[in-house]
Amino acid sequence: MRAISASDALIVVDPQNDFLPGGSLAVPGGNRIFEPINRIMPLFSYVVATRDWHPRNHAYFQANGGPWPWHCLARTHGAQFSPLLHDEQIDDVISKGTDPKTDGYSGFAATDLAEKLRNHGIRRVFVTGLATDYCVRATALDARDAGFEVVVLDDAIAGIDVTPGDVRRALDEMRARGVQFAESKELSETRV
Ligand code: VGL
Ligand code: ZN
């Protein structure tokens, strides 16, 4: 069991309509993340959600010569959080991918996420959300680089696997960089 305390934060990466079934860049089985995320949110005193929040001229859209179909255009329905998420439990929302030239995969890229976590006295982050092989991977690795202990919750992530094996490789890379893995059911309240 892992007891959750006030120095732990939950990070929910990109739980947005466009990354879910029916969305323009749907992650297969993406809705699996919501049951565990909604169940564990009450254990945390600080919950942050990131959102992909792209301008139309973002270089990573196919229309602009990049790899991805349109997704998460700022202020559109596709960029909204899924109605399956209990979003009243989110303390802060971090918009990323707003710079047209950089991928914006990581919740730490050109945002104040690290500063917000430090201001809340956070030392360990639990990472959940979409997609394992892009934004979850980048966010978990950057959290390590920023000096946080990082635990990715296996049952609260889902990946794209554009090239089969991408998810496997992302998990291996995270593990090699000191990211830990756990199941949401292993989390418990701190008992005093
Ligand atoms: C993501 C591809 C493009 C993600 C964002 O949230 O993992 N993937 N933009
Ligand atoms: Zn994106």
Side-chain angles (χ1 to χ4, degrees):
M1 289 305 255
R2 289 166 194 263
I4 301 306
S5 75
S7 60
D8 293 315
L10 178 65
I11 301 180
V12 184
V13 177
D14 300 4
Q16 296 165 277
N17 290 323
D18 272 343
F19 294 129
L20 294 160
S24 62
L25 183 46
V27 177
N31 282 335
R32 75 194 287 261
I33 68 172
F34 293 108
E35 186 281 324
I37 288 170
N38 290 332
R39 171 162 42 75
I40 64 177
M41 279 199 291
L43 297 173
F44 290 86
S45 51
Y46 188 50
V47 179
V48 189
T50 66
R51 63 180 182 188
D52 222 21
W53 200 247
H54 295 311
R56 291 192 77 82
N57 64 347
H58 198 260
Y60 283 69
F61 287 134
Q62 284 161 358
N64 304 322
W68 302 115
W70 295 114
H71 65 274
C72 299
L73 285 164
R75 289 173 291 279
T76 62
H77 170 80
Q80 298 303 308
F81 289 143
S82 165
L84 297 174
L85 180 71
H86 294 174
D87 60 357
E88 70 282 357
Q89 309 225 38
I90 293 167
D91 298 299
D92 273 314
V93 174
I94 302 284
S95 299
K96 64 181 182 62
T98 57
D99 169 17
K101 293 198 178 61
T102 54
D103 62 48
Y105 294 153
S106 167
F108 291 89
T111 72
D112 61 353
L113 177 53
E115 187 187 347
K116 281 201 159 71
L117 293 168
R118 288 193 192 105
N119 287 344
H120 282 82
I122 300 301
R123 291 193 299 267
R124 179 171 65 169
V125 296
F126 287 77
V127 179
T128 62
L130 305 169
T132 308
D133 33 356
Y134 291 94
C135 294
V136 168
R137 170 189 169 277
T139 300
L141 294 178
D142 276 358
R144 287 293 294 155
D145 287 344
F148 296 99
E149 194 178 334
V150 180
V151 184
V152 167
L153 296 177
D154 286 311
D155 56 322
I157 56 175
I160 305 177
D161 242 0
V162 173
T163 305
D166 282 353
V167 167
R168 190 75 261 153
R169 279 186 288 275
L171 296 172
D172 288 345
E173 191 181 1
M174 287 188 267
R175 201 169 285 111
R177 297 265 295 270
V179 171
Q180 302 164 54
F181 289 85
E183 300 277 327
S184 65
K185 292 238 160 66
E186 294 173 46
L187 306 193
S188 67
E189 267 178 285
T190 301
R191 269 181 227 110
V192 282

